[in-house]
Amino acid sequence: METTRGTSEFQSISKKFAAAKKQPREIAPKVDSTEKASQLKSLYIGTLAFFSWLFLLHVAGIYLFTRGFLLTRLVLDHKSECTSAPLTIPGHQQGSYVNGCWYPKTFNKAVIIIIDALRYDFTVPYDAKPSHFHNALSIFHETALETPQNAFLLPFIADPPTSTLQRLKGLTTGTLPTFIDVGSSFSGTAIEEDNLVDQLRKANKTLVHLGDDTWHSLFPGYFDVNLTHAYDSFNVWDLHTVDNGVTEHLIPLLHPDNTTKWDVLFGHYLGVDHAGHRYGPDHPAMTAKLQEMDQVFRNVLKSLDDSTLLVVMGDHGMDVKGDHGGESDDEVEAALWMYSKKGIFGRSQSEFRNPPKTAKERSVWQIDLVPTLSLLLGMPIPFNNLGAPIEEAFIGRNGLGWSNLASVNALTGAQIRNYQHEYAIARGLDASATSETQKLWNQANETWQQFSIPRKRDTDLSKFASLKFAKYQRLNLSVCRDLWARFDVPSMIHGIAILFIALITLYSFARCSRGTSAENVPKLLQSISKWSVAGFATGGVISMALPSAPFLDVSLFCTVWGSIFGYVYTIKEILHVIPFPTSLWGALAFIFTVAQSIGFASNSYTIWEDEIMLFFLNTFALFTLISSLRQENTPDRILGTYQSTLFLFLARLASLSRLCREEQMPSCRSTYYASATSSTSATWQLFIPFALAIVLPSIIKSHYQGTRSYEGSAVFWIGFAFRIGLLGSAIYWTIDASDDEEWFGVESERLQTIKVVMAQMILGLAFAAGTTTYVWARPCVRVETIPASNGAVKTSTAPRAKSITILGFANVHGSRYFLLFSNWALAVILLQRPMGGGAIGLMTWQILALLEIVDTNDLSQSAIGPVVLGLLGSFYFFKTGHQATLSSIQWGSAFVALKTIRYPWSPLLVTLNTFGAQILAVVAVPLLVLWKQPPKKRGLLGDVVKSLATFLCYHAVINLATTMWAGYLRRHLMLYRIFSPRFLTGATVLLVVDIVGIVVALGGVRWNIIAIADIFGWE
């Protein structure tokens, strides 16, 4: 749009341009431009430092809260010893690995196999309308049914979080995971506490491992290097490499010629888990993989000797999309199958002969495997174990071995009592914390004393003693769960206090300070730095005076509060605005933010957050529609009305893409994937990226043409490079679908290579070529010189007057900065599945509509623009197939541009996929200020800083609210299913937008100002 003001400025530029050609080159204001550039640099560095300080405040607050909130347990370094049984077993010579340390050894060798994500219903027959995962793996149920003395099949319940690393810890130590363990899910820290694998190594057993390399992170150096074969565990696209490798080496090791080379063999198949992640459980690929496992174990049974125990289990299950990590029934209900040709297994009741039909019947905890295997193999039970022996393994084939069951339950109970005693001492717990369990132990022990007298020992007494010790174990497990659910409330309050002060700091800086925000930074930084140093020094003195006070904690406390005091001491001098909304738009921004924050106290609100985001966006669109209809300027009224209507329509259109969380069912229908039980895209969804490649560049072009800014770099980048990148992304996902569905008969490895190369080229186009283009690009303007006509600019001396027109002058800042946004949009679109890429395309269009709305309604200085951008980021987080749950993380995005895990690139790809919408929102914040601004607009950097601070303030409020409600509702039944994941999501989003705002948004604005000042001057 050309305006009267713009025309006068064109004339001024024309006169100066003509005069400059007659001036000697020496008088150009070289010194002045250098000085201005230096001032900009200093202001920019100061602004970076200030926002970095705010980032560190957020880190400190989140760290202190999570330290008190995410539960941890004290790991005791005690080890169980073969020669120190906690209880004497009548008739058994204890203390020997040969006969059995605590209990008579049943097996000399064992093959322990994990089928990752083996859900219980994958193993039992299903007669109704079956899914693809039904009736494909029948060997386990078949053997347990036909030869119950040789095998049993039970539901195997995992303790959340249901990630592989935490499950392996529980399966080898017998301990419960805590939420803090999720942070180490992919770091693979070695297990140092007492565990079954370590006990086997201490007994000089030769251990062999095949499969998932996570075992080598947990147990480094434990396995025989000549026989062990480990494989990368995180490439979820690869269904066969790990499984083929395990089978290739497993079967030969079971041959009689090789069984003397090993004692315990651990195998870990990943194909079922990867099929779930890639396709979902209800897919032909899952059928094929389960059938493969069925045949593998039929072959294993043929090779197994009589002295070897075979254990097959799932470490967790999977949800309807094939993901895991949470605590839904499908995620925790795994399967356990034990087999031996000795025929020693039994059932205590005749109705237990058949395997349970569902996982809700006769289930055992995964930690129960630890004492079971330890006693069967003649090993000590690991000291920290909380599990109980599995009844079927000790009751005897006739189901009357209550004496054996009483003995193993008594041994396990005594070991648990020793652990509880040492834990209470280490934690300083008083007697009341364990009074109930001690009372039950006394009763069980009294019964055991009677049981130890041979003449009094009978079936009823044995059964009574067994049940008493089993009851003691269950009660103790409950007590331990409660003990480990104790929060460090002072640390949580300290973290919340810092987050609250950081929020007040952001708000006062963004909305309440005198002058431009950027101009106030140097004075604030000077005070913050001075008082931070003073705080750190004070912390050091306190640590020296009180050696018991941790230096890190004290120094952190004093430094943080010292810096906050420095800010408060200075900000009071520049405060001038009442810290409350003074306009309709300010009130609307306040209501959106506060209403959302209050709502997080409700689990139903948090569950339906995506729908509430849509309501807020529609409300904003209706308000702007009414405001636009009241505009006096006709072009503004028409444009504002059209863009408001478009904004409303795009929000409704984007809402068609959704991924339902479990709690929303059955009132929600997932459309992000091919079906609610799939992890692949529907065929029709492949047309979305191609449509995006055709339409989106044209939409951006139309917005540029509105200000005649489609010039210079915009023509090449938007019209060609951006479109080519989008087309490449569409081809990428088409090849991916062809690989999934085997359309062209091309081998998967070749398609994988093609995909990875294409993705790397597109990301290189977006970040390498795109950033280079942005940094060095001239403004998106073109100068036209035409003969003067009526209304043209003329000079009094020239015989033939000419007119100079600068096309794109009215939007010179916004049109150039948008090139940076398009780079990031291209990368984020590539990393989303077709439906998600389409959603990001709609988000881009909606942001352009928002920019026009802000301009026509003169809202560039209002808080409503940054807040709505924050709402858009949150809304499209859900529209790209994400939820505030661990299981919705799309780990496959780590392999879009890579064949294997590579740090730090793989985590960065997952971050771009998960938080791509929020990242684009923060990159777009400067556009609220820069859009349709001429080159000589003063105070742009300060206005951008103000908008960015407002945007971060919105996310800081959301983070503070989710943090406070998670802390307040820490005893709520839905804490770990709803409130804790939402807190973790809010905290992560805040830190991500902090970093992107500092590095990308502010950096992009600096380069934008420099490029435009180099052309139009620094004055």
Side-chain angles (χ1 to χ4, degrees), residues 98-170:
V98 176
N99 299 319
C101 290
W102 295 357
Y103 183 78
K105 180 166 58 174
T106 308
F107 297 98
N108 292 314
K109 307 173 77 67
V111 176
I112 302 170
I113 303 294
I114 291 179
I115 301 178
D116 208 291
L118 180 65
R119 208 167 71 191
Y120 184 73
D121 58 344
F122 293 0
T123 65
V124 292
Y126 189 80
D127 298 327
K129 184 179 179 181
S131 301
H132 285 95
F133 53 81
H134 284 131
N135 305 325
L137 180 55
S138 60
I139 181 63
F140 303 149
H141 188 273
E142 179 183 308
T143 53
L145 184 64
E146 296 176 357
T147 56
Q149 73 278 9
N150 295 112
F152 63 84
L153 174 66
L154 293 173
F156 200 41
I157 307 303
D159 287 289
T162 48
S163 57
T164 294
L165 186 139
Q166 280 68 45
R167 293 293 78 243
L168 291 182
K169 288 182 177 180

Side-chain angles (χ1 to χ4, degrees), residues 48-337:
L48 284 185
F50 179 76
F51 278 101
S52 297
W53 170 68
L54 288 171
F55 169 72
L56 293 177
L57 282 185
H58 291 152
V59 170
I62 292 170
Y63 163 74
L64 289 169
F65 180 83
T66 54
R67 191 177 67 174
F69 176 72
L70 295 185
L71 308 178
T72 58
R73 62 181 175 87
L74 177 64
V75 176
L76 302 182
D77 57 5
H78 297 65
K79 306 282 187 181
S80 294
E81 299 294 336
C82 182
T83 56
S84 301
L87 201 69
T88 301
I89 299 297
H92 174 59
Q93 185 68 35
Q94 296 175 317
S96 169
Y97 285 117
V98 176
N99 299 319
C101 290
W102 295 357
Y103 183 78
K105 180 166 58 174
T106 308
F107 297 98
N108 292 314
K109 307 173 77 67
V111 176
I112 302 170
I113 303 294
I114 291 179
I115 301 178
D116 208 291
L118 180 65
R119 208 167 71 191
Y120 184 73
D121 58 344
F122 293 0
T123 65
V124 292
Y126 189 80
D127 298 327
K129 184 179 179 181
S131 301
H132 285 95
F133 53 81
H134 284 131
N135 305 325
L137 180 55
S138 60
I139 181 63
F140 303 149
H141 188 273
E142 179 183 308
T143 53
L145 184 64
E146 296 176 357
T147 56
Q149 73 278 9
N150 295 112
F152 63 84
L153 174 66
L154 293 173
F156 200 41
I157 307 303
D159 287 289
T162 48
S163 57
T164 294
L165 186 139
Q166 280 68 45
R167 293 293 78 243
L168 291 182
K169 288 182 177 180
L171 287 168
T172 55
T173 64
T175 58
L176 300 175
T178 51
F179 212 89
I180 196 68
D181 288 334
V182 177
S184 61
S185 183
F186 303 98
S187 61
T189 305
I191 297 178
E192 297 180 354
E193 63 184 305
D194 198 9
N195 62 82
L196 177 60
V197 181
D198 186 54
Q199 289 290 347
L200 290 167
R201 187 177 67 160
K202 285 168 59 177
N204 294 320
K205 300 291 186 180
T206 300
L207 309 180
V208 175
H209 169 258
L210 306 172
D212 185 349
D213 60 357
T214 304
W215 286 78
H216 292 265
S217 300
L218 298 176
F219 308 105
Y222 282 52
F223 303 107
D224 185 285
V225 295
N226 297 317
L227 300 177
T228 291
H229 300 273
Y231 301 88
D232 180 18
S233 60
F234 284 109
N235 189 353
V236 297
W237 302 108
D238 186 352
L239 274 60
H240 305 296
T241 300
V242 177
D243 289 7
N244 292 343
V246 175
T247 303
E248 176 188 351
H249 297 98
L250 173 62
I251 302 300
L253 285 173
L254 296 177
H255 191 275
D257 294 341
N258 295 319
T259 53
T260 58
K261 298 178 181 179
W262 55 271
D263 295 300
V264 179
L265 193 157
F266 296 92
H268 196 141
Y269 285 95
L270 291 172
V272 172
D273 179 68
H274 288 186
H277 282 301
R278 184 171 177 180
Y279 301 106
D282 194 12
H283 190 275
M286 182 62 77
T287 305
K289 182 53 64 176
L290 291 173
Q291 289 174 342
E292 176 190 332
M293 292 294 98
D294 187 80
Q295 188 58 51
V296 164
F297 289 103
R298 292 183 186 276
N299 295 335
V300 167
L301 291 188
K302 295 176 183 178
S303 304
L304 199 69
D305 59 35
D306 293 346
S307 64
T308 302
L309 171 67
L310 175 60
V311 182
V312 181
M313 73 194 92
D315 56 341
H316 50 73
M318 62 175 68
D319 64 14
V320 294
K321 304 185 307 303
D323 297 321
H324 55 89
E327 57 178 336
S328 67
D329 288 348
D330 283 344
E331 292 171 272
V332 302
E333 292 172 350
L336 170 68
W337 178 69

Side-chain angles (χ1 to χ4, degrees), residues 144-145 148 346-355 362 391-392 395 397-400 402:
L145 184 64
R347 313 294 187 272
S348 61
Q349 300 180 42
S350 58
E351 55 266 32
F352 291 170
R353 174 183 172 88
N354 295 343
R362 293 165 45 209
E391 179 181 289
E392 284 79 357
I395 196 65
R397 61 187 302 161
N398 59 5
L400 299 175
W402 288 103

Side-chain angles (χ1 to χ4, degrees), residues 8 97 158 179 287 353 367 374 376 438 459 536 582 650 656 721 981:
S8 65
Y97 285 117
F179 212 89
T287 305
R353 174 183 172 88
I367 57 175
S374 297
L376 288 174
Q438 183 61 42
T459 300
F536 182 79
T582 56
L650 292 176
L656 298 178

Side-chain angles (χ1 to χ4, degrees), residues 1-3 5-14 16 36 40 707-709 778-783 805-817 929-941 943 1005-1019:
M1 289 178 54
E2 297 292 331
T3 63
R5 179 187 174 194
T7 303
S8 65
E9 288 182 333
F10 292 164
Q11 295 171 349
S12 174
I13 289 287
S14 300
K16 291 184 179 180
K36 289 285 187 180
L40 174 65
T707 54
R708 305 181 72 180
S709 300
R778 297 287 185 175
C780 301
V781 298
R782 180 164 61 89
V783 177
T805 302
I806 303 178
L807 303 180
F809 181 87
N811 192 22
V812 65
H813 282 284
S815 61
R816 188 185 183 282
Y817 182 86
V929 175
L930 301 178
W931 194 252
K932 291 190 177 180
Q933 293 296 342
K936 294 187 177 182
K937 172 73 175 180
R938 291 186 175 275
L940 278 181
L941 180 59
D943 291 343
V1005 170
R1006 177 176 179 263
W1007 283 107
N1008 205 65
I1009 293 175
I1010 290 174
I1012 292 169
D1014 284 343
I1015 299 298
F1016 290 94
W1018 288 88
E1019 64 271 13

